[in-house]
Amino acid sequence: MFDKGRYVAFSLELHLFFARIMKEHALFLKAGFTPANPEFSREAEAYKRKFEALLRRAVVLSDGVVGRSVLTSGEILTEFTADAEKQTQRFTGIPIDKEITRMEARLRCGDPGCTHFDLFHQVKQLNQTAIGLLNGLIGFKERILNGMRHCRMFTMNYPLLIEHIIREAKLYRTFLRNVENGNCPDSRSMKETEIFWNQIMMEHALFIRGLLDPAENELVKASDTFAQEYATLLARAREVSNAAMIRQESLSETVKFRDFKTVGVKGIENCEIQSIILPLLADHVLREANHYIRLLNE
């Protein structure tokens, strides 16, 4: 069991990171559909709006409550997020609620020990709303993946990317179910955490490699190297009993990958890298690396 203050802070920190990730998943899905599937495009837009509303509410409740380490980690937003949203909206025509990003930039850290009953009740409602939305979004993603695997539909997203974003949505839901059931929010072992996020990082490297223009030879090679190095870390993590044995290696590798992604976001936003990577996707994967680095450091 954990106290109400920790419940509120952990829940809101989850939403600040994952609700943004989910709304962007919906945007990337919508951007990848063809005119043959207008109903899927409409459903993706609906989920984007619902998770934007969820995130906006979480931001309002988070001011003066969440921890400094989360607000300064670069997992909620980066120096590139605002421009990435503007460019992505211009490129895709998909509307993005950019006021949320401005609100997040003004968030202040605080003391979760000062939680009052009303805030606890509001966060509990938010968690239950999120679980319901995630049930629907996971089902939507699984329908897309099933259609792709059986050649009933085509999208510009890889099947592995759909699997990837299903896993992230299920992790978000698992954390919320744990806190709602009164279980310790940090119950996952460090080994489980490393295996999950090292696989996510490996797949990021594979996606980047596949979305870069073939002429970007050095960046393609670097992406492939990161994928191989994470594959090695994954294999080792599954073999060892003590995750601390490779924790420092995971941290070192992810800091290097974070720096590579940072260069990538700058290059994509400034039109210096040729690719079919949306600026917001580049920023999205950078934030996930920042999130993993915080977990490894804590």
Side-chain angles (χ1 to χ4, degrees):
M1 294 293 291
F2 52 103
D3 62 30
K4 288 182 179 180
R6 183 68 188 121
Y7 167 91
V8 165
F10 182 81
S11 297
L12 291 173
E13 289 166 3
L14 266 182
H15 295 310
L16 289 177
F17 173 67
F18 275 109
R20 176 175 279 277
I21 294 298
M22 294 303 115
K23 81 169 182 100
E24 291 171 354
H25 285 175
L27 185 149
F28 302 145
L29 289 171
K30 181 176 180 180
F33 293 133
T34 72
N37 298 111
E39 70 284 5
F40 280 87
S41 182
R42 287 191 293 270
E43 191 165 354
E45 173 64 24
Y47 279 115
K48 178 183 69 68
R49 291 183 181 182
K50 289 174 182 178
F51 276 100
E52 281 182 333
L54 182 81
L55 177 59
R56 179 181 277 268
R57 183 63 179 150
V59 172
V60 170
L61 296 176
S62 294
D63 193 38
V65 176
V66 297
R68 181 180 299 276
S69 65
V70 173
L71 291 183
T72 60
S73 65
E75 67 189 80
I76 295 172
L77 74 165
T78 74
E79 63 186 289
F80 311 109
T81 307
D83 284 341
E85 288 183 328
K86 291 175 187 174
Q87 291 182 346
T88 298
Q89 179 170 306
R90 188 172 76 249
F91 293 152
T92 64
I94 300 172
I96 297 172
D97 185 349
K98 295 179 284 299
E99 177 60 24
I100 295 173
T101 300
R102 291 188 285 270
M103 292 167 61
E104 286 177 324
R106 298 191 294 265
L107 281 175
R108 299 165 297 174
C109 61
D111 179 9
C114 300
T115 300
H116 53 81
F117 177 78
D118 188 49
L119 179 59
F120 173 81
H121 182 66
Q122 291 179 78
V123 170
K124 194 166 190 66
Q125 286 185 320
L126 194 69
N127 288 354
Q128 291 167 351
T129 297
I131 290 170
L133 285 178
L134 285 164
N135 289 339
L137 181 62
I138 290 166
F140 178 53
K141 291 173 176 178
E142 289 175 338
R143 292 199 331 265
I144 295 166
L145 182 60
N146 188 56
M148 294 174 73
R149 282 177 169 166
H150 293 89
C151 299
R152 292 195 299 267
M153 70 180 297
F154 174 87
T155 88
M156 294 301 295
N157 291 305
Y158 292 120
L160 180 60
L161 187 142
I162 307 300
E163 292 178 25
H164 177 101
I165 65 176
I166 289 171
R167 273 185 263 118
E168 291 180 347
K170 286 182 174 180
L171 180 66
Y172 184 14
R173 185 177 64 181
T174 295
F175 280 140
L176 287 173
R177 283 176 171 173
N178 282 346
V179 297
E180 287 307 296
N181 290 331
N183 297 324
C184 176
D186 303 313
S187 59
R188 284 171 68 92
S189 71
M190 199 61 224
K191 179 176 179 178
E192 289 177 304
T193 298
E194 285 193 48
I195 288 173
F196 182 91
W197 285 106
N198 280 346
Q199 181 165 353
I200 293 293
M201 294 298 117
M202 179 187 72
E203 290 170 357
H204 283 175
L206 294 173
F207 299 145
I208 293 168
R209 183 187 69 184
L211 296 172
L212 285 164
D213 189 281
E216 296 284 4
N217 194 44
E218 292 306 311
L219 294 177
V220 170
K221 286 181 180 177
S223 300
D224 197 48
T225 298
F226 277 116
Q228 292 173 21
E229 289 171 348
Y230 275 110
T232 300
L233 285 172
L234 262 175
R236 291 188 58 204
R238 291 186 174 115
E239 291 171 357
V240 301
S241 56
N242 184 0
M245 294 173 64
I246 65 160
R247 187 172 181 178
Q248 190 57 45
E249 292 176 56
S250 294
L251 177 59
S252 176
E253 186 69 18
T254 306
V255 168
K256 287 193 300 180
F257 199 24
R258 185 268 318 274
D259 293 344
F260 175 77
K261 289 175 173 179
T262 300
V263 172
V265 181
K266 288 180 181 177
I268 289 167
E269 286 194 350
N270 294 328
C271 201
E272 295 167 350
I273 293 174
Q274 299 302 299
S275 74
I276 53 172
I277 300 172
L278 285 170
L280 192 56
L281 177 57
D283 187 67
H284 178 102
V285 298
L286 172 59
R287 276 181 268 118
E288 291 190 357
N290 288 335
H291 174 73
Y292 184 28
I293 288 169
R294 178 177 67 82
L295 296 181
L296 289 168
N297 279 323
E298 289 184 350

